[in-house]
Structures are given as C-alpha cells and as structure tokens.
C-alpha cells in the first residue's frame, strides 16, 4: 500500500517535469524577492543603515511576506492546483490513469502530496530569495553584512504556520480542479473566494472564511490582530477545514460517474 | 473460458438516452475479437464500462472470470488499453511517458526500449510527444498499452490516424502478439475491411444492441453468393422461377436465387424470355463481408 503510494507520488512528480507548474514555483517564489532586490540595488546609499539595524531580518521578513501572504501565495495555490490536475484533462490521460492498477484514493493522495510538495518548494525558493535579498546587495556594494543574526527558528516556525494556513485553500482548489474539466472554473472560483476573503478580512467573523488565514496570520505576526477573538488558533481551524475539504474532495472523486 | 464476459449490460447517460441495451459481450480467451459498429453505436461506451471508466448501471462484467467490481486492481494489472484519442503527456518525450507507466506497472526498464522498437518510435529521442503526428501519438498510446505485457489488450479504433502502411504494421503486430504471446485482443472499429484479416471472432453492435456475435467464420459463412435477377415484371418472374423448382426470394425489389451452375442460370433466363418477361439483369451478387456488415447495421444502399 505504502509502496504503491510512493510509486504513484513518484510518477506524479515526474509528470511535473518541465510543466508550467514547476516554472511557476520559480516565478512566484522569486517575484517579490526580485522586486525588493532591485529596489535595494537602486538605493545603495541606504544599505549601510539598513544592514546595521538590529531588527534587519524582521523588517525584511515583514516587507516580503506582506505581498506573499496576502496575494502571491493564494495566487500560487489557485494556479498550481489547477495546473497539476489539468495535466490529466489537457492530455486526455485520466482514462489511462484510471485503468492503471492504482487505487483511486492513492491517485488522489499522490496528486495532493505533489501539490503540497510544490507549495513547500515555493516556500524554500522564497526564503532563499529573502536571504539573498538581505545579503547580496551589501556584498555587491562593499557594505558590511547585516549585523543581526538570522532568526532561523522564528522564520522556520512562521513558514510552517503559513504552510498550514494555506492548506484549506489547497483542499478547496483541489476539489474544484478535480471536479471541473474547465480550467476557468477553479481559477474563477478561487479568485472570487480570495477577493471575498480579502474584502471581509476586518470582519469579526472573517475566520470562518478559510481563504483569510494567511492574511490573518501575517497581520497577527506583525502585531495587527484583525479578529479580536478567535475560537481556536488559526492553524487548528486551517487543519480542520483542510481535513473536511480533503474528505469531501475524495468522496466526490471516488463517486464520479465518469473517470475519463 | 472468456477473457471478457458481460451480461445484460445496459447504460444510459440520461433517462431518455439509452446508449447500451442488454449487451452480452463474450470475448474468448486467446481470440482477436473485432467489435464492429458504426460511429455512435455504443462501442466506446461498452469498452469504457468494461474498463471501469464508467459507473456500471445494469448488468455484470467479468474479466478473466472475476467480477470487475470486486477485483479491479487484479484485473487492471493484466489489461492494456487505449481508448479513443491517444492518452499521452504532451510535454514529455516518448521514453518519459513510458517511464511513468513502467514505474506504475513495475515492469523491467528494458521493456521501454522493446515497446518503442515494436511500435517504431525508437528514433524519437528528445522530441516531445506533443510534437508527434497523430499516427505517432497513436503508436505511443499502443506502446503504453503493451508495456506491461498484458494478457488482455483492449484497443478502441487503434488505426485512427495511421497511414495504410501503419495499418498493415499494426495488424501484423497484433497478430504476432496473439500468436506468440497468446494475448487476447479486443479491437473496435467502424470498418470491417480494416479488421477482417485480423480477427478470429466478431461482434456487431448498432444503436446499443448486439446484432451478431460469434466466430468470424460464422459471419463469413453469410457470404453465400447469390444471383440477382431484375426483370420487367418481377412478380411474374418470381412465380415462374418458383414454379420451375428454384429457390427464390425478393430483396430490395429484385429477385435473388442461390448461386447456381451456369446451365441453371441459362434455364431461368430462357424460362423468363419464353414467358414474355424482359430480363434486365442477371448478375452474381457482390455479397462481400462489407455488405453483410452494412446489411446487419442497416446501412446498405443496395
């Protein structure tokens, strides 16, 4: 069973080779770091003061994660889940996949794991971009490296939190992408839900909307609590939503009338 | 023993649209079974049901003597298939495509070269499958189906997109697989001429109903030659021929008598002329297999 799942994950991962989804990881992960990197190169006279600041990494993290948590990460999830699933629709390969000796839950889980792996890969690329944005501009202009030590543990914990915050979005988008052959439907629904979540972010019950968690967590990490009282931690709610939507997605996938 | 046996298979996509009606498909083990019917007859729907791609509504499906519902994994391990248009990943090369299925089916990596060689795609190198011609895509799809050396091969219109040479190669390949490896092959087509020199058994379907099923020789037996007679007064001619002791029947406003020796034909002609009936035509029937097929599916223009 485990070996079948591992083999299935391996094939799903190989399918992403050279696909748009793998390029999206790089493009999305390096977009914000590239902008900040370029901004720093344009104002080299500010570098010395920036690098001397004791909260250098905190500020850089906050600057970079603002766009990432609120916009880039949701956009990435909406696009990448659709792309991973669309590989089968576009190539007319669902029927080949469903006539292979692989249990349906295994195929479902393997694709989901690949999406999560791509999400983790995005965070790795983004964090690498963050580190290079902090260090390289100074090196290029002969400015001493940032004085403050890199808060590895804090960054790692926050990354794990964002990964968990993003899980409900992954589950909902995966369900939609599996259910609808038309690429525009999960994409449109995802964008609509994301815009709705952003519009409702300051509502006292915005935590009921699973697309708000990354933004809520970002604001909380920077000291702004958009919701005064949460019924549970964001990560607990995100995990619950993820399990709920994953189960719903699996049931819908397994009970489809047509499998290719 | 049947490799595939369906009983009372009925399917509808909507309550008013019954696409299959009580289909009992019986594909003997070791046979090459031609599943024939015009476009839209229900061939692909039947094959999709047999492969579990459509949810079964009525009837039962047994493959290798096992119910499909309860033994899906075990059955699919021994089945290779290519349904409708080619199923290949366009952004990957032929080898990369096969590599995916080699991992899934746990077959030796050397099989990739073997099947590439077998379908004539060994030279494609780093070319992505999306850049292949339709014929090449079809070959790759068949290579995928053959990769794990299946006991049962289900191919839906496999010659689509192939040139005449490719069709001949495909036929030779399927015959070789059947003879050398004992592979049971179920191949669908809407053209009898394409598969008549390939199959050992046939099933003919029209509008979701099986019209014929059995050894191909049985279908070929229907190819009884007849003589067609057309006259100025076929009713009187019918009576005259009948009175003379010949078997005669009417079809499409012409008279048909079983293939007879030349003296009998001459006698019939003389008989008609003597009775003042003008004879317009006495000709052997072109009752070839294609016509039998067209007659069965009710598409004969003659």
């Amino acid at each position: 069973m485990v070996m079948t799942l591992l083999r299935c994950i391996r094939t799903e991962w190989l399918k992403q080779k050279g696909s748009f989804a793998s390029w999206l990881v790089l493009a999305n992960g390096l977009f914000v770091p590239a902008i900040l990197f370029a901004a720093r190169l344009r104002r080299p006279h500010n570098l010395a003061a920036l690098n001397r600041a004791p909260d250098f990494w905190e500020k850089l993290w906050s600057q970079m994660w603002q766009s990432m948590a609120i916009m880039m990460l949701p956009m990435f999830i909406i696009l990448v889940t659709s792309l991973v699933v669309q590989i089968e629709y576009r190539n007319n390969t669902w029927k080949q996949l469903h006539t292979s000796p692989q249990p349906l839950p295994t195929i479902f889980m393997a694709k989901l794991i690949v999406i999560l792996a791509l999400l983790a890969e995005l965070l790795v690329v983004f964090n690498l971009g963050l580190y290079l944005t902090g260090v390289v501009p100074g090196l290029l202009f002969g400015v001493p490296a940032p004085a403050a030590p890199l808060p590895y543990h804090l960054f790692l914990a926050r990354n794990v939190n964002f990964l968990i915050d993003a899980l409900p979005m992954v589950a909902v988008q995966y369900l939609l992408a599996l259910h609808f052959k038309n690429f525009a439907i999960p994409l449109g629904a995802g964008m609509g839900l994301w815009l709705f979540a952003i519009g409702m972010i300051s509502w006292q019950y915005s935590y009921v909307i699973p697309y708000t968690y990354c933004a809520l967590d970002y604001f909380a990490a920077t000291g702004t609590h958009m919701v005064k009282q949460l019924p549970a931690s964001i990560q607990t709610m995100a995990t619950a939503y993820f399990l709920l939507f994953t189960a719903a997605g699996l049931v819908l996938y397994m009970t489809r009338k047509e499998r290719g | 023993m049947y490799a595939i046996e369906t009983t009372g298979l009925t399917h509808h996509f909507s309550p008013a649209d019954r696409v299959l009606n009580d289909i009992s498909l019986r594909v003997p083990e070791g046979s090459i079974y031609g599943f024939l019917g015009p476009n839209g007859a229900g061939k692909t729907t039947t094959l999709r049901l047999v492969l579990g791609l459509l949810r079964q509504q009525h009837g039962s499906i047994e493959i290798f003597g096992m119910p499909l519902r309860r033994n899906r994994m075990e059955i699919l391990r021994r089945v290779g298939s290519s349904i409708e248009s080619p199923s290949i990943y366009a952004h990957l090369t032929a080898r990369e495509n096969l590599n995916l299925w080699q991992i899934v089916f746990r077959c030796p990596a050397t099989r990739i070269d073997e099947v590439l060689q077998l379908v004539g795609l060994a030279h494609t190198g780093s070319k992505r499958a999306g850049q292949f011609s339709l014929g090449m895509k079809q070959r790759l799809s068949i290579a995928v189906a053959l990769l794990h050396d299946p006991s049962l091969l289900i191919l839906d219109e496999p010659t689509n997109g192939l040139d005449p040479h490719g069709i001949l190669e495909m036929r030779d390949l399927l015959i070789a697989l059947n003879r050398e490896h004992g592979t049971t092959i179920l191949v669908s087509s809407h053209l009898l001429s394409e598969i008549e020199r390939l199959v050992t058994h046939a099933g003919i379907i029209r509008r979701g109903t099986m019209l014929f099923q059995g050894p191909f020789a049985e279908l070929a037996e229907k190819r009884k030659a007849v003589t067609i007679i057309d006259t100025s007064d076929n009713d009187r001619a019918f009576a005259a021929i009948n009175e003379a002791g010949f078997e005669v029947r009417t079809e499409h406003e012409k008279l048909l008598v079983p293939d007879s020796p030349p003296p009998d034909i001459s006698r019939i002609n003389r008989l008609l002329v003597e009775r003042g009936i003008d004879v317009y035509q006495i000709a052997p029937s072109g009752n070839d297999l294609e016509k039998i097929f067209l007659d069965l599916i009710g598409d004969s223009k003659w």
Side-chain angles (χ1 to χ4, degrees):
Chain A
M1 188 72 180
V2 175
M3 288 310 290
T4 308
L5 178 64
L6 289 177
R7 267 194 299 275
C8 194
I9 293 169
R10 192 174 156 211
T11 59
E12 290 301 327
W13 189 254
L14 285 172
K15 282 179 202 172
Q16 304 309 319
K17 183 189 163 195
S19 73
F20 188 56
S22 55
W23 289 108
L24 193 67
V25 171
L26 286 178
N28 206 304
L30 294 176
F31 183 72
V32 178
I35 289 173
L36 272 177
F37 192 96
R40 291 192 171 205
L41 291 185
R42 279 196 64 184
R43 296 189 195 86
H45 50 278
N46 289 345
L47 285 174
L50 282 172
N51 284 7
R52 274 197 306 272
D55 56 353
F56 172 85
W57 291 110
E58 275 287 298
K59 275 185 178 166
L60 182 63
W61 183 92
S62 175
Q63 277 180 314
M64 292 185 69
W65 266 100
Q66 188 174 19
S67 312
M68 189 65 175
I70 296 169
M71 191 178 75
M72 300 303 285
L73 188 59
M75 287 299 104
F76 175 80
I77 290 166
I78 291 166
L79 277 172
V80 89
T81 42
S82 294
L83 286 170
V84 167
V85 177
Q86 274 294 319
I87 277 190
E88 310 297 347
Y89 281 120
R90 206 173 49 244
N91 294 304
N92 207 10
T93 40
W94 273 124
K95 56 181 190 270
Q96 204 67 43
L97 193 57
H98 288 150
T99 50
S100 66
Q102 301 179 103
L104 295 177
T106 303
I107 296 172
F108 179 91
M109 288 312 295
K111 282 195 183 294
L112 181 59
I113 289 167
V114 164
I115 292 167
L116 294 175
L118 287 168
L119 182 57
E121 196 184 337
L122 171 85
L123 294 181
V124 170
V125 170
F126 179 75
N127 281 286
L128 193 67
L130 185 149
Y131 178 75
L132 293 175
T133 304
V135 172
V136 175
L139 286 175
L140 292 176
F141 291 97
V143 175
L150 185 69
Y152 295 104
H153 290 98
L154 179 69
F155 280 13
L156 181 66
R158 284 179 176 175
N159 273 283
V160 170
N161 279 352
F162 278 121
L163 189 65
I164 297 169
D165 299 343
L167 290 179
M169 270 191 283
V170 171
V172 174
Q173 289 303 130
Y174 187 45
L175 181 154
L176 292 170
L178 278 175
H179 203 65
F180 295 101
K181 185 179 181 179
N182 188 339
F183 187 67
I185 295 173
L187 213 62
M191 299 286 260
L193 284 164
W194 169 67
L195 285 171
F196 176 69
I198 295 302
M200 301 297 286
I201 195 83
S202 52
W203 180 43
Q204 60 175 326
Y205 300 113
S206 63
Y207 57 81
V208 298
I209 308 165
Y211 282 53
T212 57
Y213 295 154
C214 288
L216 284 177
D217 209 7
Y218 169 76
F219 286 122
T222 53
T224 312
H225 293 275
M226 304 299 280
V227 177
K228 299 298 170 213
Q229 203 170 4
L230 291 166
S233 75
I234 290 174
Q235 286 71 41
T236 306
M237 290 187 290
T239 307
Y241 264 128
F242 173 68
L243 294 175
L244 178 74
F245 286 119
T246 302
L250 179 61
V251 169
L252 280 176
Y253 174 66
M254 290 191 66
T255 53
R256 273 203 319 205
K257 283 183 185 169
E258 292 188 36
R259 296 194 186 122
Chain B
M1 176 78 174
Y2 295 112
I4 300 175
E5 185 175 14
T6 74
T7 311
L9 212 54
T10 299
H11 196 83
H12 46 79
F13 289 109
S14 65
D17 182 24
R18 184 180 275 205
V19 286
L20 292 183
N21 189 19
D22 197 22
I23 296 290
S24 294
L25 190 71
R26 287 185 170 83
V27 180
E29 234 169 53
S31 68
I32 304 181
Y33 185 104
F35 194 32
L36 290 158
N39 290 328
K43 302 185 297 292
T44 302
T45 304
T46 307
L47 299 185
R48 287 171 75 200
L49 277 164
V50 163
L51 286 165
L53 290 173
L54 278 179
R55 202 196 296 166
Q56 217 172 302
Q57 293 170 345
H58 301 285
S60 67
I61 300 170
E62 285 194 1
I63 299 179
F64 308 125
M66 297 180 280
L68 176 67
R69 272 188 181 158
R70 292 201 298 273
N71 304 276
R72 191 172 161 266
M73 289 299 107
E74 200 180 333
I75 288 168
L76 291 179
R77 247 176 236 124
R78 297 168 59 192
V79 177
S81 65
S82 170
I83 301 293
E84 289 181 297
S85 47
S87 286
I88 49 173
Y89 297 98
H91 62 290
L92 302 178
T93 66
R95 182 174 291 280
E96 286 167 344
N97 265 281
L98 289 165
N99 187 31
L100 297 178
W101 302 111
Q102 183 255 323
I103 295 166
V104 171
F105 283 102
R106 285 181 279 168
C107 50
T110 51
R111 276 296 290 166
I112 294 176
D113 287 316
E114 284 173 29
V115 292
L116 279 175
Q117 200 73 43
L118 211 57
V119 299
L121 290 178
H123 62 285
T124 53
S126 59
K127 192 174 180 178
R128 291 181 177 193
Q131 298 168 318
F132 286 5
S133 68
L134 178 59
M136 289 166 80
K137 286 178 183 171
Q138 193 71 269
R139 285 162 190 264
L140 180 54
S141 212
I142 289 163
V144 170
L146 294 176
L147 186 68
H148 56 293
D149 200 8
S151 315
L152 171 64
L153 196 54
I154 298 177
L155 304 174
D156 186 19
E157 309 261 3
T159 51
N160 274 357
L162 295 185
D163 55 27
H165 183 65
I167 293 173
L168 287 179
E169 278 183 349
M170 173 76 65
R171 196 182 67 198
D172 293 343
L173 171 66
L174 296 181
I175 290 173
L177 279 171
N178 177 256
R179 288 191 185 153
E180 291 162 23
H181 299 270
T183 312
T184 306
I185 300 169
L186 167 57
V187 56
S188 82
S189 177
H190 60 276
L191 294 172
L192 177 68
S193 56
E194 246 179 32
I195 59 165
E196 66 176 307
R197 269 179 265 172
L198 168 68
V199 301
T200 59
H201 290 71
I204 297 178
I205 186 173
R206 185 191 65 157
R207 289 185 198 154
T209 305
M210 283 295 258
L211 301 173
F212 169 86
Q213 180 166 235
F216 192 71
E218 222 172 84
L219 187 67
E221 255 180 38
K222 289 179 182 278
R223 186 169 33 183
K224 283 177 188 159
V226 290
T227 301
I228 306 163
I229 301 171
D230 193 19
T231 69
S232 55
D233 188 341
N234 280 345
D235 289 340
R236 278 180 59 216
F238 183 94
I241 296 167
N242 204 19
E243 278 169 26
F246 292 102
E247 194 184 312
V248 62
R249 63 190 164 96
T250 307
E251 204 174 292
H252 300 285
E253 296 172 3
K254 291 187 179 181
L255 304 176
L256 300 184
V257 295
D259 191 28
S260 312
D264 282 357
I265 298 295
S266 169
R267 209 179 126 207
I268 291 170
N269 184 39
R270 199 165 48 246
L271 185 76
L272 296 174
V273 172
E274 280 170 3
R275 298 213 178 176
I277 301 168
D278 295 336
V279 178
Y280 298 155
Q281 178 192 15
I282 296 185
S285 155
N287 208 5
D288 56 10
L289 276 174
E290 196 67 41
K291 188 183 167 306
I292 293 166
F293 172 56
L294 292 175
D295 280 345
L296 273 169
I297 63 169
D299 198 26
S300 177
K301 300 285 185 291
W302 180 65

